[in-house]
């Protein structure tokens, strides 16, 4: 069965998940995280991809980013994946694949859903019971977006900047978004859209993306089509 073509419109944010093969660990030391973050920064700059939020877990990665050139995200992820696999295999005296096939992705409506994706990504270590507060996990963008930590990797999205013009006040307001976890339906919607390469947003946004990319952005209905009644 042919692969579903990726929809990569310029200027539309994307949520990306890259998993280790068979959920195996892709980061086993602090140096692994440092190496991956450094190459992500380099390739994002090279291919003109803006990185807004991220979390590097033991066996997978989440990114929220916006491409500024055609096929920029695909080029970035391919180059990053190959570079990191070479490093990982050499460091740990292994061979073969590290990643679980192609990365998963979905398009994100910036106006109403982007900040939900920020929260989904940066709360990942809390949902995994690795920490009880997102600020305690080092390898995510929470310390940048919520606490003002300097980062050459992060490019703030206009939706994030629109929270408040003042940096300190914006960070305070942003932290307030994390007082409550995402509801179960939102989490499931994000996971389904990402796994199936669709879009997270309202119907108008999905209609616009379908016309722009000529790609279905909604789950297909199960079962045989019903015959119209007379």
């Amino acid at each position: 069965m042919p692969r579903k073509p990726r929809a990569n419109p310029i200027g539309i944010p994307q949520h990306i998940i890259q998993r280790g093969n068979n959920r195996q660990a892709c980061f086993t030391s602090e140096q692994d995280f440092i190496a991956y973050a450094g190459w992500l920064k380099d390739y994002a700059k090279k291919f003109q991809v803006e990185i807004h939020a991220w979390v590097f877990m033991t066996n997978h990665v989440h990114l929220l980013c916006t491409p500024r050139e055609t096929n920029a995200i695909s080029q970035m992820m391919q180059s990053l994946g190959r570079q990191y696999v070479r490093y990982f295999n050499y460091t740990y005296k292994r061979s073969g694949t590290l990643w679980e096939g192609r990365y998963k992705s979905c398009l994100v409506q910036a106006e109403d859903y982007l900040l939900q994706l920020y929260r989904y990504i940066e709360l990942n270590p809390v949902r995994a019971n690795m920490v009880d507060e997102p600020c305690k996990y080092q390898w995510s963008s929470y310390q940048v977006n919520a606490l003002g930590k300097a980062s050459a990797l992060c490019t703030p999205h206009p939706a994030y900047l629109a929270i408040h013009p003042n940096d300190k006040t914006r960070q305070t307001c942003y932290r307030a978004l994390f007082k409550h976890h995402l509801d179960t339906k939102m989490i499931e919607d994000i996971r389904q859209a990402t796994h199936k390469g669709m879009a997270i947003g309202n119907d108008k946004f999905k209609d616009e993306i379908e016309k722009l990319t000529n790609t279905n952005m909604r789950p297909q209905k199960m079962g045989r089509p019903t015959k119209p009644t007379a």
Side-chain angles (χ1 to χ4, degrees):
M1 185 175 182
R3 288 178 173 179
K4 179 181 178 180
R6 291 192 188 278
N8 288 294
I10 296 172
I12 304 296
Q14 291 190 36
H15 171 229
I16 293 169
I17 299 178
Q18 178 84 77
R19 294 192 182 278
N21 190 43
N22 293 323
R23 298 185 180 271
Q24 72 182 69
C26 1
F27 304 102
T28 61
S29 72
E30 184 177 21
Q31 184 55 44
D32 295 346
F33 288 109
I34 293 171
Y36 186 91
W39 284 315
L40 174 60
K41 175 175 67 68
D42 292 344
Y43 287 120
K45 181 178 180 180
K46 178 178 180 179
F47 296 113
Q48 298 190 45
V49 178
E50 297 174 352
I51 308 294
H52 313 304
W54 65 86
V55 65
F56 308 149
M57 304 292 283
T58 305
N59 62 4
H60 67 283
V61 171
H62 290 263
L63 303 174
L64 182 60
C65 50
T66 300
R68 294 302 173 189
E69 292 290 340
T70 303
N71 294 324
I73 289 179
S74 292
Q75 291 176 310
M76 178 188 75
M77 294 301 293
Q78 287 172 7
S79 298
L80 172 61
R82 290 169 183 163
Q83 179 69 51
Y84 186 75
V85 169
R86 285 195 294 268
Y87 155 82
F88 194 87
N89 284 354
Y90 176 81
T91 300
Y92 297 104
K93 306 297 188 293
R94 66 184 296 278
S95 62
T97 187
L98 177 65
W99 304 113
E100 185 184 64
R102 298 199 304 170
Y103 66 88
K104 307 292 186 182
S105 66
C106 73
L107 302 176
V108 184
Q109 182 186 10
E111 293 81 5
D112 298 323
Y113 287 84
L114 197 74
L115 292 178
Q116 304 275 35
L117 266 296
Y118 272 82
R119 292 170 63 207
Y120 176 81
I121 290 170
E122 294 174 354
L123 281 169
N124 203 276
V126 178
R127 287 195 301 274
N129 295 315
M130 298 174 71
V131 293
D132 57 0
E133 297 178 16
C135 63
K136 295 181 180 179
Y137 192 76
Q138 180 180 359
W139 300 107
S140 89
S141 52
Y142 182 85
Q143 293 184 6
V144 179
N145 293 316
L147 303 176
K149 180 180 178 180
S151 171
L153 176 59
C154 186
T155 300
H157 190 276
Y160 167 81
L161 295 175
I163 294 174
H164 199 279
N166 178 269
D167 290 347
K168 293 296 184 183
T169 304
R170 183 190 315 117
Q171 291 157 18
T172 300
C173 294
Y174 186 81
R175 291 195 297 272
L177 297 175
F178 288 74
K179 290 182 178 179
H180 304 286
H181 286 223
L182 288 170
D183 64 62
T184 303
K185 184 180 185 307
M186 177 57 66
I187 291 173
E188 184 55 35
D189 287 348
I190 292 171
R191 287 173 175 169
Q192 183 182 72
T194 306
H195 180 73
K196 295 185 177 182
M198 296 182 180
I200 185 76
N202 60 29
D203 287 338
K204 180 181 178 182
F205 174 74
K206 292 176 183 178
D207 288 342
E208 291 172 349
I209 293 298
E210 287 177 344
K211 291 178 181 177
L212 179 65
T213 65
N214 196 32
T215 304
N216 178 57
M217 288 293 146
R218 295 173 172 83
Q220 295 294 310
K221 292 182 179 180
M222 302 298 290
R224 296 179 180 179
T226 57
K227 294 181 180 180
T229 56

